[in-house]
């Protein structure tokens, strides 16, 4: 009976329409995170130079998200989610790359660049995930289609940073450079999540790595001089929404990674910058930043995704 249920679950979660819908929901939520993080910074009166304060804000978000995941996961599974001794190491490793690595770089970077630019550069993470899965961890083969899709993705990211003064992307830049490092960290975490979830509960992994990562960021920021600030009603609402994004989207994404190849899930990441651009423009009033290069970049990235996703006849 248990084997039949597992087979049905596998069949359902490997259906291409289910993958598309699940990934679309995740990326729509993540896309909305770009402008809401910046809005939260404004409400909390966090300046771009207040690195410790930014990390504290991230720590609050992910600690809360992890608690949400553990509580909801325990309710749905009718069993309290607690990592086994053999799973603790996996939680720690995933936490280093996912919560601490990715989001420490992300929060520093997003404070020093526009939400629109962040959403595009961050999309590089999904192509790096494919490269990591195929070349570094060798979980799947690097095909011509996957390689071409990755090249087009890189091209789109480069194109969006070309301004009237020329190429405007610098890996050492505090803004785009930090977002790039965040993308690299994410690419490793997505592959590690795929590997660990083969034997570990993906929801448990998500919850505890967020709690651990959030606590590490909280402690680190407090040591660096940050102090807790009182929340207004709006600021608290933004924090809860950001925690919800991590709770739902990351858990769903990890489940999709558990049952599918990394490339089949990660290629849908192009929806992330699409939603990010649209929502940043609407919420932050950055419509003046959306030029022809952004539109062309999104088209190129979408073509790359289509090539990677196209079935071989």
């Amino acid at each position: 009976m248990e084997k039949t249920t597992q087979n049905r679950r596998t069949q359902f979660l490997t259906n291409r329409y289910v993958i598309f819908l699940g990934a679309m929901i995740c990326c729509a939520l993540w896309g909305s995170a770009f402008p809401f993080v910046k809005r939260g910074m404004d409400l909390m009166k966090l300046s771009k130079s207040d690195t410790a304060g930014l990390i504290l804000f991230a720590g609050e978000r992910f600690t809360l998200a992890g608690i949400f995941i553990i509580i909801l996961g325990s309710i749905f599974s009718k069993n309290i989610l607690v990592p086994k001794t053999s799973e603790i190491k996996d939680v720690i490793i995933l936490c280093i790359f996912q919560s601490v690595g990715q989001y420490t770089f992300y929060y520093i970077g997003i404070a020093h660049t526009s939400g629109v630019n962040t959403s595009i550069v961050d999309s590089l993470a999904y192509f790096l995930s494919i490269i990591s899965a195929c070349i570094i961890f060798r979980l799947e083969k690097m095909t011509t289609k996957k390689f071409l899709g990755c090249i087009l993705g890189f091209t789109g990211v480069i194109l969006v940073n070309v301004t009237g003064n020329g190429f405007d992307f610098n890996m050492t830049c505090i803004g785009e450079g930090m977002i790039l490092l965040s993308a690299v960290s994410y690419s490793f975490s997505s592959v590690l999540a795929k590997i660990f979830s083969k034997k570990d509960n993906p929801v448990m992994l998500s919850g505890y790595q967020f709690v651990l990562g959030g606590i590490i960021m909280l402690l680190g920021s407090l040591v660096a001089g940050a102090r807790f600030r009182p929340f207004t009603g709006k600021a608290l609402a933004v924090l809860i929404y950001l925690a919800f994004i991590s709770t739902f989207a990351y858990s769903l994404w990890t489940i999709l990674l558990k049952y599918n190849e990394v490339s089949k899930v990660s290629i849908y990441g192009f929806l992330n910058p699409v939603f990010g651009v649209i929502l940043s423009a609407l919420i932050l009033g950055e419509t003046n930043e959306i030029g022809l290069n952004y539109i062309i970049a999104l088209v190129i990235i979408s073509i790359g995704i289509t090539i990677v996703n196209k079935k071989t006849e």
Side-chain angles (χ1 to χ4, degrees), residues 39-53:
R39 181 56 58 85
M41 288 165 52
D42 291 339
L43 292 171
M44 295 295 293
K45 296 183 175 14
L46 292 170
S47 66
K48 295 180 179 181
S49 60
D50 187 6
T51 302

Side-chain angles (χ1 to χ4, degrees), residues 174-190:
I174 192 67
E176 286 87 347
M178 285 293 166
I179 297 300
L180 179 59
L181 290 175
S182 172
V184 172
S185 186
Y186 167 81
S187 70
F188 280 96
S189 73
S190 64

Side-chain angles (χ1 to χ4, degrees), residues 139 192-202 205 257-260:
L139 296 180
L192 290 170
K194 165 72 176 177
I195 295 172
F196 295 155
S197 63
K198 287 182 178 179
K199 56 186 176 64
D200 302 338
N201 183 325
L205 276 174
L257 285 172
K258 174 182 175 69
Y259 289 94
N260 300 279

Side-chain angles (χ1 to χ4, degrees), residues 231-247:
F231 280 93
T232 63
K234 289 183 178 180
L236 182 59
V238 168
L239 178 64
I240 292 175
Y241 177 70
L242 289 172
F244 166 75
I245 290 174
S246 300
T247 299

